[in-house]
Each structure stands twice: as structure tokens, then as C-alpha cells.
């Protein structure tokens, strides 16, 4: 008769005295496979195959190089495999949207479990405009509640560098910043006039919804 495995995983292991039974061997091997780290092309492929996942089951997603784990109610990321993903953030303001002009704006993010770290960089080019009102930036994904924190810096080749603190925006997919020295929300009127070549860099970490 079969014996339970020594690791307490409830896998019935056949013994030499057991009669040949291919169906029993199939069941054992299938159970062993289900407890390994499975690999799928994407989250949709994983979900289509594992229609009844069990708590603690692990799956690797090849399209995002991400390890996922089933908590009993949902799949969550365990680690992202050291891969940053690029996205194009949207830079807005409450009154008139700013513009980078001939400069650049770029963002990238990486997941750590249920947390997301995002970096945004705006390099001001000729013809830039600071707009008017409170500056805001879009996130690559929604956050839970107001669980976000980080910094915003203005690096100036000529002039004083400045830094502020990132805070939640009006929606779950936006953030804004408090200006240097606690001067209220970061707007174009609370800092020295930026110039071409100045760089805004935002770093934020938030609880992913």
C-alpha cells in the first residue's frame, strides 16, 4: 500500500509491494506537478489553466518575468525578477497642464509583492511650460487607498536643487507633491523659475490595488 511523503504534502507514494497501477501513478505525478513552480506565458494563460488554484500554489509568468502566488483568494506577485517596465506618465495640473516642450518625460515601475515602486523623470526642453495649479503625475496602476509615499526633486544645472514629498492625488492613479519647506502643494509659483535642462525626478512606492 502507498505511504505518505516525508515532507507532509499528502502525496501518496507507491511501494514495491503495490501492484502496477498506471492510474495511481498518474495521480501521484499530477499531484507532484501541482506543487512545483509552474510556468505560463501570461497571467491569462495561468488563469485559464488553473481554474481551481489552491493556497500556496506558485506560478511564473514568462511575459513579465514575475513570480506569483495564490493566497487563497487571489494571485499576487512575489517578486518581479529584477525587471523594470517602462510606461509614459501623464503630467497635469489643476488649472493649466504643464508641458515638457522639446524635453522628455519617461517612467518605469517594478512590483515587489503587493507594492509598486515607480520612477518618473521630466527633462525640460525649449518651449516648456510650467502650467498653473497643483502638479500631478499618473501612476502605472491603481493604488489602495492613500498608501503612497516618496520624493520629488528638481535638479538644476544652474541654481539651487530642490526637493519635496510625494502625496496621494485626487484619484487612485495619480500623485502630487508638497513643495520644498512645506510651502503647500508643489506648483510653479512656489519654486524658482525652472530653465531648459532642469530635471524633475519623482520616486514613489505605493500599495497596489
Amino acid at each position: 500500500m502507498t505511504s505518505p511523503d516525508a515532507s507532509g504534502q499528502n502525496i501518496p507514494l507507491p511501494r514495491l509491494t503495490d501492484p502496477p497501477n498506471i492510474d495511481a501513478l498518474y495521480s501521484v505525478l499530477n499531484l507532484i506537478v501541482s506543487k512545483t513552480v509552474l510556468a505560463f506565458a501570461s497571467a491569462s494563460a495561468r488563469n485559464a489553466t488553473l481554474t481551481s488554484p489552491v493556497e500556496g500554489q506558485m506560478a511564473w509568468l514568462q511575459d513579465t518575468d514575475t513570480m506569483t502566488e495564490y493566497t487563497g483568494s487571489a494571485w499576487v506577485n512575489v517578486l518581479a525578477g529584477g525587471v523594470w517596465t517602462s510606461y509614459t506618465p501623464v503630467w497635469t495640473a489643476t488649472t493649466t497642464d504643464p508641458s515638457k516642450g522639446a524635453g522628455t518625460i519617461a517612467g518605469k515601475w517594478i512590483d515587489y509583492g503587493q507594492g509598486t515602486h515607480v520612477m518618473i523623470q521630466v527633462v525640460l526642453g525649449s518651449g516648456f511650460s510650467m502650467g498653473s495649479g497643483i502638479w500631478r503625475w499618473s501612476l502605472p496602476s491603481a493604488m489602495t487607498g492613500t498608501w503612497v509615499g516618496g520624493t520629488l526633486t528638481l535638479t538644476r544645472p544652474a541654481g539651487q536643487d530642490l526637493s519635496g514629498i510625494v502625496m496621494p492625488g485626487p484619484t487612485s492613479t495619480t500623485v502630487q507633491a508638497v513643495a520644498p519647506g512645506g510651502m503647500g502643494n508643489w506648483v510653479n509659483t512656489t519654486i524658482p523659475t525652472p530653465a531648459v535642462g532642469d530635471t524633475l525626478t519623482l520616486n514613489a512606492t505605493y500599495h497596489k490595488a
Side-chain angles (χ1 to χ4, degrees):
M1 60 183 298
T2 59
S3 299
D5 67 281
S7 299
Q9 299 302 299
N10 297 317
I11 299 175
L13 301 179
R15 307 301 296 266
L16 283 174
T17 54
D18 293 339
N21 187 329
I22 193 65
D23 287 333
L25 181 60
Y26 170 83
S27 298
V28 169
L29 293 176
N30 202 39
L31 186 55
I32 291 173
V33 169
S34 71
K35 294 180 179 295
T36 63
V37 176
L38 308 176
F40 296 96
S42 63
S44 59
R46 176 201 62 198
N47 297 341
T49 302
L50 304 179
T51 56
S52 299
V54 297
E55 185 174 359
Q57 199 160 18
M58 308 284 285
W60 176 262
L61 305 183
Q62 296 168 330
D63 59 343
T64 58
D65 290 335
T66 305
M67 183 73 76
T68 60
E69 178 184 12
Y70 192 69
T71 64
S73 59
W75 287 98
V76 299
N77 292 343
V78 177
L79 54 92
V83 175
W84 286 86
T85 301
S86 298
Y87 84 109
T88 302
V90 179
W91 184 23
T92 59
T94 52
T95 304
T96 304
D97 289 345
S99 169
K100 60 182 175 52
T104 60
I105 182 168
K108 57 183 179 179
W109 59 271
I110 188 170
D111 281 343
Y112 295 98
Q114 291 183 289
T116 297
H117 183 71
V118 60
M119 300 177 66
I120 298 172
Q121 190 169 82
V122 182
V123 180
L124 303 178
S126 59
F128 76 86
S129 169
M130 291 292 92
S132 59
I134 303 169
W135 290 344
R136 291 168 176 162
W137 294 263
S138 64
L139 297 171
S141 59
M143 60 183 166
T144 298
T146 57
W147 290 92
V148 63
T151 60
L152 174 67
T153 60
L154 174 63
T155 304
R156 314 181 72 209
Q160 180 183 5
D161 295 340
L162 303 171
S163 64
I165 301 173
V166 171
M167 61 182 290
T171 70
S172 63
T173 58
T174 58
V175 291
Q176 56 194 52
V178 175
M183 294 184 292
N185 290 315
W186 192 311
V187 297
N188 60 318
T189 57
T190 59
I191 61 173
T193 303
V196 171
D198 287 0
T199 301
L200 284 162
T201 303
L202 182 147
N203 283 276
T205 300
Y206 61 95
H207 184 179
K208 187 177 182 179

